Amino acid sequence: MHPATATEKGTFMNELDHFQEAAKNPEGYGKNLKASGRPVIGCLCSYAPEELIHAAGAHPMRLFGTKEAIVNADGHLQTYCCSLAKGVLENTLTGRLSFLDGAVFPHTCDTIQRLSDIWRLNTDYDFFADVVYPVKLNTQSALDYTVDIFERFKKNLESWSGQSLSEADLTRSIEIFNSIRDQLAEIYRMRSKDPACLSGSLLSSVVKGSMILDRDELPERLFRLRKEIEEGRYAVPGNERKKRLIVAGSLCDHPDFFSILEESDGVVVWDDLCTGSRYFDETVDIGVPPLEAIARRYVERRRPCPAKHLSNTARGEALAAMAEEHKASGVIFFLLKFCDPHAFDYPYLKEYLETRNVSVTLVEVENQLPPEGQLKTRLETFIHML
Amino acid sequence: MSQTVSKTPPPIAMDEKMKEIMTNYYIEAKTASDSGKRVAWITSGGPVEPLIAMDIIPVYPENHGAMIGASKMGGSLCEQAEAMGYSGDICSYARADIASAVTCGGPIGGLPRPDMLIACNNICGTVIKWYEVLARYYDAPLFIFDTPMCHTDYPEESKRYVQRQVHEYVSFLEQVTGRKLDQDKMEEVGRLSLEAQRLWQAVLDTATARPSPMTAFDGFYHLALIVTLRGTRVAVDYYRDLLAEMEDRVAKGIGAVPNERYRLMWDNLPIWYRLKWLSKKFAAHDAALVADTYNTAWCRSLRYIDENDFLGSMAEGYTRMYLNIGVDQMADTIIEMAEKYSVDGLVMHSNRSCKPYSFGQYDIQRMVRERLDIPCLIIESHMIDERSFSEAQTETRIDAFMELVEEKNQCKER
């Protein structure tokens, strides 16, 4: 146990406990926040322009899949649909997301595109919006179009909230989200420098928690958390000697995966995950008109989601550079079954990385992790071969 | 009445012509380098007209996929792709095409090497990933024609964005070929494309007759030219003759299915390796598939295109394609067609290869049942990976479905 483990009243809670609690029970957190009078908007992926939602006085909350059985969603989505889409739909159809005021669907893959339709047709929240991103990111017209869709999204929010969104509101929100992103990146850097400062499963709950917790409080929380990490409160001695790895994929909502990996003598020092660095990668420029600045972050980021086209080899280059920068000798692709964009990229990324002396392995998951023994054997074998 | 011509109908005469045109087309494409022509690979819903106007030969990996499927070579090519690391869960067209590119396998020994690649995401996001694979493999320039999904409408900003890309597309082609686009020729190609689309729609409309002179299965075959050669005189002439033949059949009361009693509608891509089997299976129940959402996909957005300003209006036509609209609009389309063609049942192919076409089918099915009260059947497969198909299971389901259709019809007759 940690020295300052939470008491019953929570007086001596570690900062990390807040992240962990939120990560364990996002719905509970959302419900409480809603009860306090704050509207809550569900966000489907890391491309949801959270600054705009926040500036409109609402709370952007990331939606995840479910560990519960899929019952209702099976009546809308076939067996060959990924667990994220099914889980999100299951959560809304069973009423577990009834605290939401609505949701925003950024355009990503074919599945989320149809999930948006199915959600729109089968739920009756107050607010609903598609943010139909361009699929290519390398042209001026795509950038201009992105500014346009944010303009539309801003109007959607304004007509829903009944308040106009000023430039000052937006700038204030941008500053808050920039601080969150900077600090998450800083925690990642601390951990890349010293993997023994925090376990991988706790780090994953920090990122997940950051997608759930009240953003107004979050910069302070992250600041205190960094201090606690620096003090060595969460130290896991031995991690510094483990094989340094990168994990890449869409989302990984399985903290156990990181524990099993660390038990197998490996440690993740950076990631390319939608529930990881893609959430906080790169900040929004200040001093540029806000919508354009936000658009630029999404369009110009060097590590895009694979459902978007930056160049034919952008992801290979980014992963190779990441491995080099963080001295990782292997990349674990943690992919959701039926996730097409990642499945298409895998063979080329494997080849691209292996020719650059970075080893690669694939873990494919549906709803649950593979049985622990089996997963551990695979990971150990991979790690020992490094 | 159909009873008077209960024998198997004569084969469609234009079948032979189609074979000849497609053979010539592939010979021309495969010998393009000898004739100094350039080859562009393009997605099935992509804006092909500028290519035709610039004398670039368009080649369609999806049409190639269909040929692979019809030749029952999809399973082995897909297996080869899986050996390369591609998941068995991704589109079987893409898997087979990627494997064929590497191994020169398939019914025509692979497609001619592309000088450029054109991917339009109005049919799916999969083509973006698929064409990235091709672009890396062939080291060929890739142009993405990005058509934002029209979930509920076609907003102004999409309009501006796609229109700008029309110009970017033309510049791309001019840069790759080193030639200027001839505007007059472009407009002529645009007119021919629209004419072929109108004729194709007219051909499909002949299936409103009872008995229907053709089925969707015939359509899947005759569709090849509207995909590959729209914008050419060849396609226009072909569909004019095909229309005449269908009209003649209607006049003579020749039905594609002897004793047509039930009329069905098909949704999604064909199961290419089971066309004949399915066609016979339904015909044995005196059921004709008279309408479908796939054949009509190439003429559904005709209404958005201005014949006198093709380049200025094609953006909307290509963006508002059947697969690029919301599930509720798709249901409306299906219901409208079901009424137009007087169908008694809906057969949905739940296609593991095509998520944007298949996810939402359960909701569409519910909407159709609520508004039309017709039975619906769902058959699952990967469109050209025959390893995914369960004959016994499909057969049982078709039989049970046809019983329902028969029952419903008897109730109606009473």
Side-chain angles (χ1 to χ4, degrees):
Chain A
M1 298 292 270
H2 300 304
T5 303
T7 65
E8 271 182 359
K9 288 180 183 173
T11 340
F12 299 107
M13 256 180 137
N14 282 318
E15 200 49 58
L16 191 64
D17 296 332
H18 295 282
F19 291 83
Q20 274 192 292
E21 269 181 24
K24 270 186 199 140
N25 183 11
E27 288 88 18
Y29 186 87
K31 223 172 273 179
N32 287 339
L33 201 68
K34 170 72 184 173
S36 75
R38 187 96 60 93
V40 183
I41 301 292
C43 299
L44 261 295
C45 78
S46 53
Y47 280 77
E50 294 187 333
E51 297 91 339
L52 272 77
I53 299 168
H54 178 265
H59 174 70
M61 197 176 122
R62 183 68 175 273
L63 302 180
F64 300 87
T66 182
K67 305 276 189 292
E68 306 289 322
I70 301 292
V71 180
N72 298 289
D74 279 338
H76 298 269
L77 287 165
Q78 284 93 326
T79 50
Y80 48 93
C81 174
C82 74
S83 59
L84 170 67
K86 274 203 171 175
V88 166
L89 188 63
E90 182 68 23
N91 281 341
T92 191
L93 294 176
T94 49
R96 287 196 282 269
L97 301 178
S98 55
F99 61 88
L100 290 181
D101 289 82
V104 52
F105 285 75
H107 181 85
T108 51
C109 60
D110 294 334
T111 300
I112 297 297
Q113 161 186 312
R114 286 298 173 221
L115 178 66
S116 149
D117 289 335
I118 295 169
W119 175 290
R120 174 170 55 82
L121 295 167
N122 291 282
T123 63
D124 54 0
Y125 300 104
D126 271 358
F127 182 81
F128 174 87
D130 287 302
V131 175
V132 189
Y133 274 94
V135 298
K136 58 177 175 184
L137 307 169
N138 52 359
T139 63
Q140 181 64 40
S141 58
L143 175 64
D144 295 345
Y145 169 69
T146 309
V147 177
D148 285 348
I149 57 169
F150 287 165
E151 199 70 67
R152 171 176 293 270
F153 184 52
K154 178 170 163 268
K155 282 190 191 122
N156 290 341
L157 287 163
E158 285 172 336
S159 70
W160 165 68
S161 69
Q163 288 164 9
S164 69
L165 262 172
S166 72
E167 195 154 311
D169 294 334
L170 280 167
T171 304
R172 189 182 144 262
S173 294
I174 289 173
E175 282 167 353
I176 289 174
F177 281 86
N178 275 353
S179 165
I180 293 168
R181 289 177 188 128
D182 274 337
Q183 296 198 70
L184 284 169
E186 178 54 28
I187 293 172
Y188 264 51
R189 277 192 295 272
M190 286 162 69
R191 203 167 167 281
S192 173
K193 209 171 145 201
D194 175 19
C197 74
L198 184 71
S199 75
S201 68
L202 289 182
L203 179 65
S204 80
S205 64
V206 170
V207 188
K208 184 175 176 184
S210 298
M211 300 170 175
I212 297 162
L213 290 165
D214 186 347
R215 305 303 197 281
D216 292 323
E217 297 170 359
L218 193 54
E220 284 291 314
R221 288 196 186 287
L222 286 166
F223 181 79
R224 287 193 294 270
L225 179 66
R226 278 164 53 206
K227 289 283 161 248
E228 291 178 358
I229 297 171
E230 272 168 18
E231 285 164 11
R233 196 176 287 192
Y234 308 109
V236 268
N239 260 7
E240 71 281 2
R241 289 190 298 273
K242 292 173 185 166
K243 288 278 168 53
R244 298 171 65 87
L245 301 166
I246 281 167
V247 60
S250 54
L251 70 169
C252 178
D253 191 15
H254 298 278
D256 291 350
F257 171 74
F258 299 98
S259 312
I260 296 170
L261 191 66
E262 285 172 18
E263 286 164 25
S264 311
D265 219 21
V267 63
V268 174
V269 291
W270 208 269
D271 69 43
D272 179 22
L273 291 171
C274 188
T275 49
S277 77
R278 285 208 299 279
Y279 179 64
F280 61 75
D281 234 1
E282 305 186 29
T283 51
V284 175
D285 289 339
I286 304 286
V288 180
L291 295 185
E292 186 194 327
I294 299 169
R296 282 190 180 277
R297 170 172 178 259
Y298 287 112
V299 171
E300 292 170 355
R301 62 198 300 184
R302 289 155 295 166
R303 288 176 284 274
C305 158
K308 296 175 175 56
H309 175 86
L310 180 59
S311 79
N312 298 327
T313 50
R315 292 196 67 225
E317 289 155 19
L319 276 171
M322 192 185 284
E324 196 182 332
E325 185 186 346
H326 298 285
K327 300 181 186 65
S329 48
V331 174
I332 300 174
F333 284 88
F334 187 94
L335 305 187
L336 289 190
K337 191 164 169 62
F338 306 118
C339 174
D340 288 351
H342 280 282
F344 265 98
D345 271 357
Y346 174 70
Y348 116 77
L349 290 175
K350 178 172 157 60
E351 191 191 332
Y352 193 96
L353 291 166
E354 285 179 347
T355 55
R356 285 157 183 81
N357 293 320
V358 180
S359 299
V360 166
T361 193
L362 169 67
V363 175
E364 195 182 57
V365 288
E366 227 174 318
N367 235 0
Q368 310 286 344
L369 283 180
E372 187 175 336
Q374 191 192 326
L375 180 60
K376 206 169 166 191
T377 309
R378 286 188 50 197
L379 293 174
E380 277 172 356
T381 312
F382 174 67
I383 289 162
H384 290 156
M385 300 285 280
L386 291 173
Chain B
M1 293 301 289
S2 58
Q3 272 75 4
T4 58
V5 278
S6 62
K7 295 279 170 288
T8 309
I12 296 174
M14 291 300 283
D15 283 1
E16 281 306 308
K17 183 77 186 164
M18 167 65 76
K19 206 174 282 172
E20 186 192 318
I21 293 172
M22 285 307 283
T23 306
N24 288 338
Y25 160 73
Y26 273 112
I27 289 172
E28 199 197 348
K30 292 201 71 155
T31 56
S33 55
D34 302 336
S35 56
K37 286 195 174 182
R38 286 187 171 80
V39 170
W41 287 19
I42 181 168
T43 53
S44 64
V48 66
E49 291 82 359
L51 296 178
I52 307 259
M54 294 190 75
D55 219 18
I56 298 165
I57 301 179
V59 166
Y60 293 80
E62 287 157 79
N63 176 260
H64 183 223
M67 289 197 322
I68 290 170
S71 325
K72 302 185 174 55
M73 297 169 95
S76 69
L77 283 168
C78 285
E79 208 175 313
Q80 290 170 41
E82 286 155 35
M84 295 174 197
Y86 291 97
S87 159
D89 297 321
I90 63 170
C91 168
S92 52
Y93 272 178
R95 272 181 289 150
D97 176 62
I98 290 167
S100 163
V102 176
T103 64
C104 294
I108 58 165
L111 292 174
R113 193 184 175 85
D115 296 297
M116 67 199 93
L117 299 158
I118 318 295
C120 177
N121 59 333
N122 59 357
I123 47 169
C124 61
T126 290
V127 294
I128 303 299
K129 303 309 294 176
W130 176 2
Y131 277 59
E132 283 178 353
V133 173
L134 297 172
R136 285 189 294 266
Y137 183 73
Y138 289 109
D139 193 21
L142 167 64
F143 185 85
I144 292 175
F145 194 86
D146 184 9
T147 49
M149 173 79 180
C150 306
H151 285 282
T152 52
D153 58 356
Y154 180 53
E156 273 304 314
E157 64 269 19
S158 299
K159 204 177 209 167
R160 277 197 300 275
Y161 174 44
V162 185
Q163 190 55 44
R164 277 176 75 179
Q165 291 178 77
V166 171
H167 302 297
E168 291 167 10
Y169 180 34
V170 171
S171 304
F172 170 85
L173 297 178
E174 289 180 340
Q175 199 199 333
V176 174
T177 58
R179 288 199 314 267
K180 278 271 164 213
L181 172 71
D182 177 337
Q183 294 294 337
D184 293 338
K185 194 165 179 210
M186 182 65 241
E187 287 307 305
E188 172 64 11
V189 169
R191 266 190 294 276
L192 288 169
S193 172
L194 288 176
E195 200 175 341
Q197 292 176 54
R198 271 192 290 267
L199 285 163
W200 176 236
Q201 181 67 63
V203 167
L204 298 173
D205 283 350
T206 62
T208 55
R210 267 179 202 271
S212 171
M214 62 180 287
T215 67
F217 296 109
D218 297 316
F220 297 151
Y221 179 71
H222 292 278
L223 166 79
L225 297 192
I226 200 68
V227 180
T228 56
L229 290 171
R230 64 182 185 278
T232 67
R233 172 66 61 193
V234 176
V236 169
D237 292 346
Y238 178 83
Y239 287 119
R240 189 168 289 137
D241 291 349
L242 181 63
L243 177 62
E245 188 180 351
M246 290 304 121
E247 283 172 341
D248 182 57
R249 283 184 166 222
V250 172
K252 291 178 178 151
I254 301 173
V257 170
N259 299 324
E260 172 192 304
R261 290 181 65 202
Y262 309 110
R263 298 165 63 82
L264 305 175
M265 179 167 174
W266 177 272
D267 178 54
N268 212 308
L269 284 101
I271 303 174
W272 289 108
Y273 47 87
R274 281 298 166 131
L275 284 185
K276 205 175 272 174
W277 183 83
L278 282 165
S279 163
K280 279 189 181 158
K281 188 76 212 156
F282 284 109
H285 286 282
D286 297 332
L289 279 104
V290 294
D292 77 286
T293 54
Y294 183 63
N295 282 313
T296 47
W298 279 269
C299 37
R300 203 193 148 270
S301 47
L302 258 175
R303 61 189 129 157
Y304 305 120
I305 301 180
D306 175 1
E307 188 166 14
N308 299 311
D309 180 20
F310 191 84
L311 272 192
S313 60
M314 75 169 200
E316 182 163 3
Y318 277 112
T319 306
R320 306 182 82 170
M321 285 276 285
Y322 181 69
L323 278 181
N324 210 39
I325 55 177
V327 162
D328 36 350
Q329 292 176 70
M330 291 167 95
D332 288 344
T333 308
I334 288 180
I335 289 163
E336 192 185 304
M337 283 177 75
E339 283 174 336
K340 174 176 169 184
Y341 292 87
S342 322
V343 309
D344 307 303
L346 173 64
V347 183
M348 303 185 108
H349 172 204
S350 168
N351 186 355
R352 297 179 77 99
S353 284
C354 193
K355 296 181 173 87
Y357 215 147
S358 304
F359 293 165
Q361 277 178 324
Y362 293 172
D363 283 80
I364 292 175
Q365 187 186 34
R366 260 189 297 279
M367 290 182 245
V368 169
R369 275 192 184 137
E370 278 164 23
R371 281 150 69 179
L372 293 181
D373 187 34
I374 55 171
C376 294
L377 165 69
I378 292 186
I379 307 174
E380 191 174 300
S381 96
H382 257 303
M383 60 201 171
I384 63 165
D385 185 348
E386 68 272 14
R387 297 170 303 166
S388 65
F389 188 76
S390 160
E391 181 175 303
Q393 195 187 41
T394 310
E395 193 161 26
T396 315
R397 301 184 74 171
I398 290 176
D399 290 342
F401 165 72
M402 285 313 303
E403 261 176 45
L404 262 179
V405 171
E406 284 161 30
E407 257 171 50
K408 272 254 153 61
N409 257 50
Q410 279 163 5
C411 291
K412 263 190 234 165
E413 279 162 18
R414 264 186 231 135

